[in-house]
Each structure stands twice: as structure tokens, then as C-alpha cells.
Amino acid sequence: MSLMSELGVQKETSTKPAQNAAFMSSYLDSLTMVERLHRLLLDVIKDEFERLGILELNSVQALLLFNVGDNEVTAGELKSRGYYQGSNVSYNLKKLVEMGFMHHERCHVDRRSVRVRLTEKGRKIRDIVSNLFMAHAQGLQDRSVVDLDGIDHIATTLRRIERYWANQIRYIY
């Protein structure tokens, strides 16, 4: 037996390229799954609103109302939290104000900045989305799709990937 094997040190073998290829394949599959899950989430919200006969807003707008919640925020804050892209959030906030789901007010300190918060109509939509998500969480547990440890592991892993990507943007460009 060699000293390397006694110490538990393995020589780099041809499995490294195979492992890299397997990792790359799984990484690309994960990226596709994240994108697919986001689109599916929007479809699930859309279907719920169609069932309830709420047709005046789209699923992106409903999710935006959910994410604003009880906060008073600016479009910039929503962008910096990573929820939305620039023109997307501005357009949807404008539409939600026009439809009466949000109230807007110019900031007293910076008159260029507009703060938004939900109206009573917007809070009702937020509650519908919240109840939908609670039903999903209960269904996932009841059907043993994922348990608390599993969902925590998924969230932790996704946060780590998010941090890695954010660091790529900040330090490479």
C-alpha cells in the first residue's frame, strides 16, 4: 500500500472530467427548472384568479402586490430587493395605481421618488395570493412532496447561488 493511499489521498483520475460534465449537466437542468418553476408559479396564480373571476390584473401584478405586502416602498427598492427589472416594475406599478390597487405619493425628501403602498383593494389581492401560497405549503406537506428540512435545504441552496451570481455581477464588471 502506498503512502498516498494510507493517508487517504487519491490521485486525480479521469473521473474529474466526468464529474465536471455531470455537474454542468445538473447545473443547466437546475437553471431550466428555476425558470420553468417561475413561469409555472405565474400560471398557477393566473388560474386561481381566473377561477375567482378576477381578470383585471395579471399574475405578475398580483405577485407584485403580494411582495409589497404591508410595506411602503419605491420602485427602486423593489428592484434592489431583486423582485423585478426596471421597466417591468415601473410599468406594473403605474398600472396598479391606475386600477386602484396601489396608492402613490411623492417622497417629501426626494420629490423625484414615488412611494407606493397597497390600497384596500390591493390588500384583498395580496390576501388571495397569500392564502393560495398557504394552501400550497399545506398541500406539499400533506402529500409528502417536501418536508421542512427539504424546503429549508432548497431555500439555502438557492440563496447561496443567488449570492454567487450577485458577486459575479459586482466583482467581474
Side-chain angles (χ1 to χ4, degrees), residues 43-60:
D43 286 344
V44 166
I45 293 168
K46 177 180 152 289
D47 287 350
E48 178 70 6
F49 278 70
E50 286 175 355
R51 271 192 287 280
L52 296 172
I54 302 170
L55 306 175
E56 61 188 315
L57 75 163
N58 64 42
S59 54
V60 170

Side-chain angles (χ1 to χ4, degrees), residues 24 34 38 47 59 72 74 81 85 88 98 114 119 127-128 135 145:
M24 183 63 173
V34 167
H38 178 68
D47 287 350
S59 54
E72 185 174 292
T74 65
R81 291 179 192 173
Q85 298 299 314
N88 185 7
E98 288 173 2
V114 176
T119 61
D127 291 345
I128 290 169
V145 174

Side-chain angles (χ1 to χ4, degrees), residues 27-45:
Y27 176 64
L28 293 175
D29 188 40
S30 297
L31 294 177
T32 301
M33 184 58 64
V34 167
E35 184 180 9
R36 195 176 326 143
L37 284 171
H38 178 68
R39 283 195 310 267
L40 191 55
L41 171 65
L42 294 176
D43 286 344
V44 166
I45 293 168

Side-chain angles (χ1 to χ4, degrees), residues 55-69:
L55 306 175
E56 61 188 315
L57 75 163
N58 64 42
S59 54
V60 170
Q61 293 164 339
L63 194 55
L64 193 150
L65 293 171
F66 174 80
N67 286 325
V68 168

Side-chain angles (χ1 to χ4, degrees), residues 97-123:
V97 167
E98 288 173 2
M99 293 185 291
F101 292 102
M102 297 191 101
H103 175 75
H104 75 289
E105 182 179 323
R106 291 239 174 253
C107 284
H108 300 297
V109 177
D110 181 357
R111 301 298 293 165
R112 296 170 296 171
S113 182
V114 176
R115 299 194 68 74
V116 294
R117 67 180 182 279
L118 302 185
T119 61
E120 182 60 34
K121 188 176 176 183
R123 284 190 294 276

